[in-house]
Amino acid sequence: YIDSEVPDSIVLCRSLEELHLHGRILPKVFEDILTQCRELVVFGFTGVHITDNVMCCLLSNTHHSLHSLILTECKNLTTKTLELLSQGNKHHDLRILRLSNCPWVTLSSLRNVSRCCRSIQYLDITGFIRPCDEDQKPNISINDIIQPIKDMFPLASIDY
């Protein structure tokens, strides 16, 4: 848990290229990390309580295109995060996108990402397909949902 100050080890490592965070981190601390570590190309969050504003800071402050973005169990985000990722060509080199157990992911937001990030080689959308109630289109198969995603990301290995 990083609460009020950015650890010196991170501040001193301005050329840091890969960072994985787990658990809780305050948005102000996270923004401080991003202003110090602008060379990040691999960023991973697991169960981190972050907002779209924090992701906007990440996606706009990195000098380079992200190669890997891991958002596992980041339940506070919205589709705005994927909209930000798909704006412009800054992150066109993104190769790994993990969105496992993120209930806010939609087919539309994935479509937008696929238009901008054409280099994705691995896509994890575990938890994207959720059981539907009996009154919700029970005749749709998993393949009916997954095939359009495979078509959007033809180079990617997809976990679902």
Side-chain angles (χ1 to χ4, degrees):
Y1 179 77
I2 301 173
D3 53 5
S4 60
E5 293 183 21
V6 177
D8 290 338
S9 58
I10 292 177
V11 173
L12 294 174
C13 201
R14 294 180 188 270
S15 62
L16 186 68
E17 293 181 357
E18 184 170 340
L19 183 63
H20 296 269
L21 299 172
H22 303 269
R24 293 186 54 193
I25 182 170
L26 293 176
K28 171 70 173 110
V29 173
F30 179 71
E31 289 170 16
D32 289 344
I33 290 171
L34 289 179
T35 58
Q36 299 297 325
C37 306
R38 297 183 54 122
E39 302 298 317
L40 289 169
V41 292
V42 176
F43 214 106
F45 297 103
T46 300
V48 175
H49 299 280
I50 56 173
T51 64
D52 292 320
N53 289 339
V54 171
M55 287 305 299
C56 180
C57 185
L58 166 69
L59 296 172
S60 61
N61 282 338
T62 54
H63 282 310
H64 306 287
S65 175
L66 290 175
H67 292 181
S68 179
L69 180 60
I70 301 163
L71 301 172
T72 301
E73 297 179 15
C74 293
K75 300 182 187 318
N76 292 350
L77 296 174
T78 70
T79 58
K80 183 177 180 183
T81 290
L82 292 183
E83 289 171 19
L84 292 166
L85 180 65
S86 62
Q87 290 176 351
N89 284 328
K90 185 169 185 182
H91 300 290
H92 59 87
D93 286 335
L94 187 68
R95 294 181 195 116
I96 297 172
L97 181 59
R98 297 187 72 160
L99 303 169
S100 60
N101 298 309
C102 293
W104 46 270
V105 174
T106 65
L107 195 55
S108 176
S109 60
L110 289 174
R111 186 175 296 111
N112 290 337
V113 169
S114 73
R115 290 179 184 142
C116 176
C117 304
R118 297 185 179 269
S119 299
I120 292 179
Q121 298 170 0
Y122 176 73
L123 176 66
D124 182 353
I125 52 171
T126 305
F128 175 71
I129 300 172
R130 296 174 284 282
C132 60
D133 295 332
E134 286 185 29
D135 61 340
Q136 295 178 328
K137 302 182 183 180
N139 295 328
I140 294 178
S141 72
I142 290 177
N143 193 51
D144 291 336
I145 298 169
I146 293 301
Q147 191 56 52
I149 297 170
K150 288 180 178 179
D151 293 343
M152 286 181 231
F153 298 96
L155 302 177
S157 168
I158 301 174
D159 284 344
Y160 54 91

